[in-house]
Amino acid sequence: MIEDSAINEKIKEIKKELRLAMNGVVSSIQRNHGLNYKINFGVEIPRIKGIAGKFEKDEELAKRLWQDNIRECKMLAIFLMPESGYAHVAEQWIAETPFTEIADHLTMVILSKLPDAATKALEWIQNNEGMFRYCGFMTLTHLFRRSIELDKEQECTYLATARNIEAVESRKTVIMAAYNSLGHYCDEEE
């Protein structure tokens, strides 16, 4: 119970910080573009990272923040999750990711740093559920940027899926993520 009340206090402190950093214009623009969260403070990413920097990484705190349908809490959860917790939350968080903005940070900060990131990403690009395919391609993009190579079997799976993406996918965001990953793959192959 003591730890739970300590986490509750941290969450109160975080939400106070978010209210102070609130940007109504950004929040309104995001809402008008379909980013409908329960609450959206409109806080810019650098400020969210600054708020995260005031707290120690903590798996329980990150999980609790993730549960709120608040844009900034989901972002903070990503930045506050310690690396030891990445594997515990990866697929659950992909399934619960509401928008690509969150997915972009999830793939960069957590998913691309999983020990088996390439293998997982290849599974995800073949999964049409929710954000899985998008996160798979974005994770591969981050891996290619870091010059991580696929083995021959993985490479065949990736290329077959990416080249045929328009035949199996109607979401433009996923198609663009596939093309983006192909661009980075080709850069590395050169």
Side-chain angles (χ1 to χ4, degrees):
M1 282 299 186
I2 293 172
E3 188 173 315
D4 197 40
S5 67
I7 289 175
N8 287 339
E9 284 303 312
K10 286 179 186 176
I11 291 172
K12 281 183 189 176
E13 191 176 334
I14 286 169
K15 288 183 179 178
K16 180 180 174 187
E17 293 263 353
L18 292 173
R19 278 188 217 88
L20 291 172
M22 191 168 155
N23 185 331
V25 174
V26 171
S27 176
S28 178
I29 290 169
Q30 289 176 335
R31 242 188 334 278
N32 290 338
H33 283 89
L35 298 176
N36 296 316
Y37 294 91
K38 179 178 85 177
I39 297 173
N40 180 345
F41 292 103
V43 179
E44 301 87 358
I45 300 302
R47 294 211 48 195
I48 293 172
K49 287 181 178 178
I51 293 169
K54 296 177 181 181
F55 297 88
E56 269 188 57
K57 291 188 175 211
D58 179 316
E59 187 170 344
E60 270 314 300
L61 175 61
K63 286 178 178 178
R64 291 274 303 279
L65 286 167
W66 182 265
Q67 291 171 356
D68 277 340
N69 189 18
I70 298 172
R71 173 186 171 266
E72 291 77 7
C73 286
K74 289 198 180 294
M75 291 288 195
L76 283 163
I78 292 167
F79 298 130
L80 290 172
M81 177 58 71
E83 199 165 327
S84 62
Y86 288 179
H88 301 139
V89 299
E91 292 191 348
Q92 177 190 345
W93 284 12
I94 294 171
E96 296 171 356
T97 295
F99 302 108
T100 56
E101 178 192 28
I102 303 292
D104 291 340
H105 292 280
L106 181 62
T107 58
M108 181 174 47
V109 176
I110 293 179
L111 303 180
S112 66
K113 295 177 183 164
L114 291 169
D116 57 348
T119 302
K120 287 291 190 187
L122 291 168
E123 289 174 19
W124 299 331
I125 65 173
Q126 295 177 62
N127 182 341
N128 196 30
E129 293 293 319
M131 283 283 177
F132 280 90
R133 187 172 281 158
Y134 180 83
C135 286
F137 281 117
M138 291 305 294
T139 299
L140 287 165
T141 297
H142 293 296
L143 294 176
F144 296 149
R145 283 181 182 157
R146 294 197 325 251
S147 300
I148 293 174
E149 295 182 12
L150 303 176
D151 65 33
K152 288 295 178 197
E153 185 179 331
Q154 290 174 324
E155 190 173 48
C156 288
T157 300
Y158 166 68
L159 290 173
T161 306
R163 286 181 180 156
N164 295 315
I165 193 65
E166 288 188 69
V168 297
E169 183 60 63
S170 61
R171 294 170 291 184
K172 289 180 182 172
T173 55
V174 176
I175 293 168
M176 294 307 296
Y179 288 157
N180 188 30
S181 72
L182 275 170
H184 287 283
Y185 169 81
C186 290
D187 288 347
E188 290 306 310
E189 285 302 301
E190 289 174 1

